[in-house]
Amino acid sequence: MQALVYHGPGRKDWETTADPGILAPTDAIVRIDSSTICGTDLHILKGDVPEVQPGTVLGHEAVGTVIETGSAVTTLGEGDRVLVSCITSCGRCRFCKEGHYGLCTGGGGWIFGHLINGLQAEYARVPFADTSVYKVPDTLTDEQVLFLADILPTAYEVGVLNGKVDAGDTVAVVGAGPIGLAAIMTARLYTPARVIALDLADARLEKAREFGADVTINNGREDAVAVVQELTEGLGADVAIEAVGVPETFELCTELVRPGGHVANVGVHGHSATLHLETLWIKDVTITTGLVDTFTTPRLLDLIAGGRLDPTPFATHRFGLSDTLAAYETFAAAGETNALKVVLEGEYAVRSPQAKREAVSV
Ligand SMILES: NC(=O)c1ccc[n+]([C@@H]2O[C@H](COP(=O)([O-])OP(=O)(O)OC[C@H]3O[C@@H](n4cnc5c(N)ncnc54)[C@H](O)[C@@H]3O)[C@@H](O)[C@H]2O)c1
Ligand SMILES: [Zn+2]
Ligand SMILES: [Zn+2]
């Protein structure tokens, strides 16, 4: 098969590599119909994730079709169309039993394109298939569900749910990249009074308005704390969601939040940030951190099927799967290309329910 193979920092290629096969009876082999690239893949290519061994196929987000199942797989069969998510669940360890699949100690967690071959490929081996993939309703296209593989559950679980967003809240989202925009989209499910988006890039703030932000602040030019206080009668935001991953934005969130409010950190941090307990100790604030578990994926799928959530605006660019290298260039140059998510479409990508029938009959 052809796949995007990592060859160490700064080096990757779209090349011929071994077809995946069943290694454990709980495995399934999935033909990748649509895949996408994540900011984490760019981190891997910079060498920031040293566990990723040269020779690994990258990618951890896809929609595909089951073509083979191991002898212990009982709920999936050939032809089933499935969402393959960034998190795999063994279904048996303590964390999986509590719904904390991201922390799986039984061989799951974030493994695709990290510890095992990933999903920017024509085919993939999917471990623990019964407990890790989600069947896609016939009525939905690949692009409607593809972003449930990472950004939507991440922003919803680690941002909106950890932050306890509620009706009437003022929600400040710092960082309007794909994760921040997904936080804006899923925060709106709770009817907040207002969503305020903060970013340094005006183009991202424009996107934030398209995704439902009521107010935008360029915190490079404006005094964000003063603007948020003015909007909230001097109190501050009920919830501040950190969706960047640098010390300044974490510290900014702790200044934006009102007494008694929540700071939900989503960003992946590479440097230590200062926790200003000298001002926070008296404010009754709750600060949460987290890795996505994807326990909300079925709920988000229902919201999409019910017409209440539409993640398709995240798809800003489309490429054939074999043009994955060009897709990486476009995605990595988001400042110039305005890319949010680039969709990699295989030969059988489902763009309409009609296409679904053709894909499965092959
Ligand atoms: N916790 C998890 O499970 C999890 C999962 C996936 C991604 N993440 C993390 O979430 C974060 C956001 O991901 P993304 O894909 O949206 O990233 P991104 O880089 O595409 O977007 C980040 C945005 O932050 C803005 N920004 C940068 N510095 C800023 C500053 N000082 N103030 C305001 N805005 C600033 C950028 O202009 C950009 O629009 C990353 O740190 C990523 O690693 C966490
Ligand atoms: Zn990702
Ligand atoms: Zn587990």
Side-chain angles (χ1 to χ4, degrees):
M1 69 163 183
Q2 302 278 106
L4 195 284
V5 180
Y6 172 70
H7 289 294
R11 295 174 52 217
K12 62 178 183 314
D13 209 354
W14 178 259
E15 63 189 46
T16 302
T17 182
D19 285 342
I22 300 277
L23 298 182
T26 46
D27 288 350
I29 304 297
V30 170
R31 182 190 70 211
I32 304 300
D33 298 330
S34 293
S35 188
T36 181
I37 305 173
C38 176
T40 305
D41 298 320
L42 303 182
H43 278 297
I44 294 170
L45 281 162
K46 275 194 218 142
D48 293 347
V49 192
E51 310 89 87
V52 182
Q53 295 300 313
T56 304
V57 174
L58 296 186
H60 51 261
E61 306 167 64
V63 177
T65 303
V66 175
I67 59 161
E68 192 184 348
T69 52
S71 58
V73 175
T74 58
T75 61
L76 296 166
E78 213 176 303
D80 282 348
R81 201 168 143 240
V82 291
L83 171 74
V84 190
S85 155
C86 60
I87 300 294
T88 298
S89 163
C90 80
R92 295 167 182 223
C93 74
R94 174 182 166 165
F95 289 122
C96 283
K97 285 181 174 165
E98 293 177 351
H100 286 299
Y101 314 127
L103 300 176
C104 176
T105 55
W110 173 38
I111 56 174
F112 287 120
H114 179 207
L115 307 179
I116 68 168
N117 284 335
L119 310 176
Q120 289 158 8
E122 290 178 323
Y123 297 93
R125 178 179 75 88
V126 176
F128 307 114
D130 275 322
T131 45
S132 298
V133 305
Y134 305 84
K135 284 189 193 169
V136 177
D138 283 0
T139 48
L140 300 180
T141 64
D142 287 1
E143 266 180 33
Q144 280 178 288
V145 296
L146 181 59
F147 310 124
L148 290 187
D150 188 343
I151 58 169
L152 262 295
T154 295
Y156 180 50
E157 294 173 16
V158 189
V160 174
L161 294 184
N162 279 357
K164 300 215 182 316
V165 173
D166 205 351
D169 277 356
T170 293
V171 180
V173 178
V174 181
I179 296 281
L181 295 171
I184 292 169
M185 183 179 266
T186 52
R188 283 170 57 88
L189 294 167
Y190 294 85
T191 332
R194 57 177 81 77
V195 177
I196 305 169
L198 295 86
D199 204 293
L200 300 176
D202 290 327
R204 284 285 165 93
L205 292 172
E206 207 176 301
K207 285 283 179 195
R209 276 188 290 274
E210 287 169 27
F211 278 75
D214 304 289
V215 180
T216 56
I217 301 174
N218 185 318
N219 57 306
R221 287 198 304 264
E222 296 170 76
D223 181 345
V225 175
V227 176
V228 171
Q229 296 226 329
E230 203 179 300
L231 288 167
T232 55
E233 296 174 345
L235 289 181
D238 298 285
V239 184
I241 297 176
E242 199 287 338
V244 185
V246 297
E248 305 87 90
T249 47
F250 172 76
E251 291 166 30
L252 177 60
C253 284
T254 64
E255 291 176 61
L256 293 172
V257 73
R258 69 162 167 84
H262 287 79
V263 173
N265 180 81
V266 190
V268 173
H269 291 262
H271 299 281
S272 53
T274 304
L275 183 64
H276 286 285
L277 278 176
E278 73 280 13
T279 52
L280 289 169
W281 72 272
I282 200 168
K283 285 177 72 179
D284 285 15
V285 296
T286 304
I287 298 173
T288 54
T289 65
L291 169 73
V292 63
D293 287 313
T294 67
F295 74 95
T296 62
T297 303
R299 191 194 301 183
L300 292 166
L301 253 177
D302 278 349
L303 284 162
I304 294 170
R308 294 281 186 269
L309 192 69
D310 177 17
T312 55
F314 281 106
T316 52
H317 296 75
R318 292 169 190 83
F319 293 85
L321 195 53
S322 57
D323 282 332
T324 295
L325 287 175
Y328 263 90
E329 276 181 35
T330 296
F331 183 67
E336 292 94 67
T337 61
N338 278 334
L340 291 178
K341 292 295 273 184
V342 297
V343 180
L344 308 169
E345 297 183 315
E347 195 180 340
Y348 300 106
V350 174
R351 301 183 186 87
S352 66
Q354 170 61 28
K356 189 263 164 183
R357 284 190 287 278
E358 285 161 15
V360 172
S361 67
V362 174

